Amino acid sequence: MGPRKVPAAISTGIVDLAYTGHGPSDGVPIVLLHGFPLNGNMWRHQVATLKQAGCYVVVPDLRGHGRSPTPDEPADMESQALDVFALTRKLGMNRFVLGGLSMGGYVALQCYAKAPEHILGLVLADTRAEPDSEEARKGRRATAERVRSEGVGIMGDAMGAKLLSPRTLEQNPTLLEEVRTMIRSTSASGLIRALEGLASRPDQRGLLPRIRVPTLVLVGSDDTLTPPPASRSMAEAIPGARLALIEEAGHLSPLEKPDQFNRLLLGWLRETGILKPIN
Ligand code: MLT
């Protein structure tokens, strides 16, 4: 049966997202949404592990990021959710596990709010349900202004190190360079439109008690952008959600501590019965 009840596109329309697909197409379907201002490549460690476990993993580049186009409008969460459903519909994925890191988590929550019947389970990594404060919105506008006048280079310099834990910066300095390169490969217009969308995102706290699918909330112990207390209150509000802390990781826990992240993810997929337990 094909997907149902996905509303039609609004405003300038749905973006045909660039994506990669991995693993057997009849495996457990999993879609992973990256954070701002990165791209699908940030999930590469999870892709390798999930594929080996027999899952079918789809990793899009969200609008304005990676190889996906940037429409001339703010990348609000509603439009991004429509993009994701257009892609999954195109791929014939009716029900799937949806995971997202930070901005990807905001989009994942929006997808659940829109069409929960398509979601088999949620993985919310280093993200939060609260909207931006007025001060955060002001900061986003100032950042967009700087990107406009100085270019994307300033984002890599300003943001790169904040995404990683002190331990990662010490033990794996090449990861910082890799993250900066990923940020710099995002276009100025992609960054600006995403900043506008992030600033206007809705408060999803009211949605949390209504979530009825298995949910895993993961957060790096040293995440300063979406810190552990935000994840804790999110997990407490979602019925039956599991909270896991990734020690010595910052905001990019799947890249910083892939083994720990993957062990928790696979364990949860098996415990919930989404993935068959190993005999
Ligand atoms: C992200 O990693 O997606 C961003 O930190 C999200 C945000 O700025 O709210």
Side-chain angles (χ1 to χ4, degrees):
M1 194 170 62
R4 293 165 293 125
K5 256 177 66 183
V6 177
I10 47 163
S11 69
T12 60
I14 285 168
V15 166
D16 200 8
L17 298 178
Y19 73 97
T20 55
H22 313 261
S25 58
D26 60 349
V28 170
I30 302 190
V31 179
L32 296 175
L33 309 177
H34 62 80
F36 165 85
L38 307 171
N39 58 57
N41 196 37
M42 60 141 284
W43 291 113
R44 65 180 186 284
H45 300 294
Q46 288 64 49
V47 164
T49 295
L50 291 169
K51 185 175 146 184
Q52 209 171 33
C55 300
Y56 176 52
V57 195
V58 169
V59 185
D61 288 339
L62 295 170
R63 56 168 65 194
H65 294 76
R67 293 168 299 124
S68 287
T70 308
D72 195 14
E73 61 181 11
D76 57 79
M77 299 308 122
E78 176 75 8
S79 308
Q80 299 215 53
L82 288 170
D83 293 345
V84 170
F85 282 128
L87 174 64
T88 53
R89 184 168 40 207
K90 182 169 93 179
L91 296 175
M93 300 169 86
N94 187 31
R95 289 195 84 205
F96 47 89
V97 175
L98 184 58
L101 179 127
S102 201
M103 178 180 74
Y106 310 153
V107 178
L109 286 173
Q110 188 73 21
C111 286
Y112 189 86
K114 266 195 111 42
E117 68 275 19
H118 292 294
I119 314 295
L120 200 55
L122 280 170
V123 180
L124 302 170
D126 299 279
T127 191
R128 56 161 36 125
E130 299 87 17
D132 270 6
S133 63
E134 208 31 65
E135 197 189 337
R137 288 195 186 110
K138 241 164 77 188
R140 304 238 196 237
R141 282 195 291 274
T143 307
E145 236 1 274
R146 282 198 68 195
V147 172
R148 226 172 251 122
S149 54
E150 297 169 50
V152 293
I154 62 121
M155 275 311 271
D157 299 341
M159 204 174 171
K162 290 191 195 149
L163 297 173
L164 306 174
S165 77
R167 184 57 72 98
T168 303
L169 290 170
E170 186 188 301
Q171 290 181 343
N172 189 2
T174 54
L175 188 56
L176 175 60
E177 259 335 287
E178 192 192 317
V179 168
R180 284 185 165 150
T181 305
M182 233 191 285
I183 295 174
R184 288 189 195 112
S185 74
T186 311
S187 68
S189 58
L191 281 171
I192 292 164
R193 290 317 200 172
L195 284 163
E196 291 167 347
L198 287 166
S200 72
R201 74 181 189 281
D203 186 345
Q204 297 287 21
R205 282 173 291 187
L207 171 72
L208 304 179
R210 292 185 277 120
I211 293 180
R212 292 284 176 274
V213 292
T215 300
L216 175 64
V217 178
L218 296 150
V219 63
S221 60
D222 302 338
D223 185 343
T224 54
L225 297 185
T226 49
S231 286
R232 193 166 304 118
S233 51
M234 195 163 57
E236 281 169 4
I238 301 173
R242 162 84 54 87
L243 172 68
L245 198 70
I246 313 237
E247 293 299 340
E248 296 185 347
H251 190 57
L252 300 187
S253 57
L255 265 176
E256 296 181 64
K257 292 282 172 202
D259 294 345
Q260 228 185 105
F261 191 101
N262 292 348
R263 199 169 50 249
L264 289 160
L265 178 57
L266 275 184
W268 171 80
L269 283 168
R270 293 205 165 101
E271 280 163 35
T272 53
I274 294 175
L275 196 61
K276 271 209 197 82
I278 301 171
N279 294 318

